[in-house]
Amino acid sequence: MLKNLDLYTQRYIQIVIIVVIAQSIYQFSHIPHSVWILITIVSVYSGFHSTDVLKRANSRIYGTIIGVSMVAIVWYLVHLDFRLLIILTTLLVPALVFFCSIPYKYSVILSTIFSDITKEWSNSNSFSLIYYINDRLICTLIGFALCISIEYFWFGRQNITYLNALQTKNDILKNMQ
């Protein structure tokens, strides 16, 4: 059935299926902070080419690991003096806007620091840094594994760039006639 569909439709179906899988994991699993699985998959699947997805998945892993370690450092610094949080959040918002064109790995680091500090600071009564680090890294690794496995098993044996160029050539020839 999927062989009759064009390449773009197959790719759209693949992205919808993996987002539905991530949403199901988020809704029906008992994994703490499982929303990070959904966030990882949605942020990784923003391009068409599988090589972009693989690069973004790798960058997401590295950026999340560095970002979570930075959150741990900032968390301890903020608890030394709470006024530092006001300075950091004031500087992080313009930094996110200013550095929007930086490589993806660095924007993941900045967004991890900003989102996690602001989210967990409001939940500081029930916040445990060790559980947060474990939950966040495990959920990101689950999202990474889903992205890589779907890419490998569905589109792994196809040359996407060649198929995309071939389809574009056929579309241009059809439109010229």
Side-chain angles (χ1 to χ4, degrees):
M1 178 180 107
L2 291 177
K3 298 292 182 187
N4 297 335
L5 300 174
D6 67 335
L7 190 62
Y8 294 109
T9 308
Q10 287 181 20
R11 186 67 174 173
Y12 299 145
I13 290 172
Q14 177 194 16
I15 291 171
V16 167
I17 288 173
I18 195 164
V19 170
V20 166
I21 290 170
Q23 182 69 24
S24 299
I25 290 172
Y26 168 64
Q27 290 290 323
F28 302 116
S29 72
H30 297 290
I31 300 172
H33 299 103
S34 61
V35 71
W36 291 113
I37 298 171
L38 182 62
I39 291 171
T40 298
I41 288 175
V42 169
S43 64
V44 165
Y45 271 97
S46 61
F48 174 75
H49 299 289
S50 61
T51 56
D52 292 343
V53 171
L54 297 176
K55 288 177 190 174
R56 289 176 72 87
N58 287 331
S59 295
R60 182 74 183 184
I61 285 289
Y62 296 133
T64 300
I65 290 170
I66 294 170
V68 166
S69 61
M70 293 295 295
V71 166
I73 293 169
V74 169
W75 186 259
Y76 284 118
L77 289 175
V78 165
H79 278 85
L80 293 176
D81 188 8
F82 71 93
R83 291 174 290 201
L84 184 62
L85 180 67
I86 297 169
I87 294 169
L88 282 175
T89 54
T90 305
L91 293 176
L92 276 174
V93 172
L96 283 170
V97 173
F98 182 72
F99 293 122
C100 66
S101 62
I102 63 174
Y104 182 70
K105 180 178 12 179
Y106 303 121
S107 66
V108 169
I109 294 170
L110 282 174
S111 63
T112 299
I113 294 170
F114 181 70
S115 67
D116 293 356
I117 286 293
T118 54
K119 179 182 174 287
E120 298 303 337
W121 185 263
S122 64
N123 193 19
S124 62
N125 292 336
S126 63
F127 180 72
S128 174
L129 189 62
I130 296 299
Y131 291 134
Y132 157 74
I133 291 171
N134 289 338
D135 294 343
R136 178 71 194 261
L137 292 178
I138 287 171
C139 287
T140 303
L141 287 173
I142 290 171
F144 174 78
L146 283 172
C147 291
I148 297 300
S149 62
I150 292 291
E151 283 299 316
Y152 177 74
F153 288 118
W154 194 328
F155 275 104
R157 295 178 195 89
Q158 298 176 354
N159 188 352
I160 301 270
T161 307
Y162 172 73
L163 292 175
N164 188 24
L166 187 65
Q167 184 170 352
T168 304
K169 182 184 93 171
N170 290 338
D171 289 342
I172 289 172
L173 289 175
K174 185 173 74 174
N175 288 337
M176 288 176 65
Q177 291 176 354

